[in-house]
Amino acid sequence: MLQLSGQPLSLHEIAQIADGVPAGSVRVQIAHAAIAQMDASRAVVRRVADNALPVYGINTGFGKLCEVRISNGELARLQLNLVRSHACGLGAPLSEPETRVIVALRANTLALGYSGVRPPRVHPPAVLRRARPLPLGSALRRSGGHLPHRSTRQ
């Protein structure tokens, strides 16, 4: 059992994810302590989002709209549109093993519990089953790695 906790993965573990996940030879899950941290982070984001004070990227627009408070009823759409705006790429698709590794590495980073993401969004078995080859291109390099979120949002 490979537990994702936000700690670095060894090359051996990365190879296991690339080669073994589709055949079921390696099981991947988020560590219990990481789930607790993610839940706590999510609670903070929820409190901030519900507050009247604008907080960048949680309940405000982005860039020039950073001081514009988005209504609570529009927050889910704001987040979805953010993911969609970063879910593009150019070039030939990566292979399925490469895609699984990228998605697993993103899940491992989210397991740190700093983003406010809900644990079910990064549940490794479901996320890795849904992972489809991602195009490699400028959007991935430019956006700080948001492209893998496409696979976690479906």
Side-chain angles (χ1 to χ4, degrees):
M1 173 70 65
L2 179 58
Q3 301 245 342
L4 301 180
S5 64
Q7 298 306 307
L9 298 175
S10 70
L11 290 176
H12 175 74
E13 290 168 327
I14 291 170
Q16 283 182 307
I17 292 168
D19 299 335
V21 171
S25 62
V26 63
R27 291 185 54 212
V28 181
Q29 72 178 33
I30 303 290
H32 293 294
I35 290 173
Q37 181 64 30
M38 292 169 76
D39 285 337
S41 174
R42 178 66 182 176
V44 169
V45 169
R46 178 61 23 219
R47 280 194 309 274
V48 168
D50 291 341
N51 194 319
L53 295 173
V55 177
Y56 182 78
I58 295 179
N59 59 12
T60 69
F62 301 96
K64 290 183 179 183
L65 300 175
C66 67
E67 294 181 12
V68 176
R69 173 67 164 83
I70 306 300
S71 70
N72 286 358
E74 294 292 315
L75 291 178
R77 195 169 90 178
L78 172 74
Q79 295 301 313
L80 178 60
N81 286 340
L82 174 66
V83 171
R84 285 180 174 162
S85 74
H86 288 82
C88 63
L90 305 169
L94 297 170
S95 69
E96 287 189 26
E98 290 168 325
T99 301
R100 280 192 299 275
V101 167
I102 289 171
V103 171
L105 290 173
R106 172 54 72 198
N108 191 48
T109 299
L110 293 172
L112 285 167
Y114 298 144
S115 71
V117 69
R118 292 179 292 134
R121 281 284 175 218
V122 293
H123 181 65
V127 169
L128 293 173
R129 275 194 303 275
R130 289 192 314 253
R132 295 180 186 91
L134 299 171
L136 177 64
S138 59
L140 177 60
R141 290 187 296 272
R142 221 179 29 246
S143 68
H146 293 287
L147 187 58
H149 288 293
R150 184 191 83 188
S151 292
T152 62
R153 287 290 306 180
Q154 297 176 1

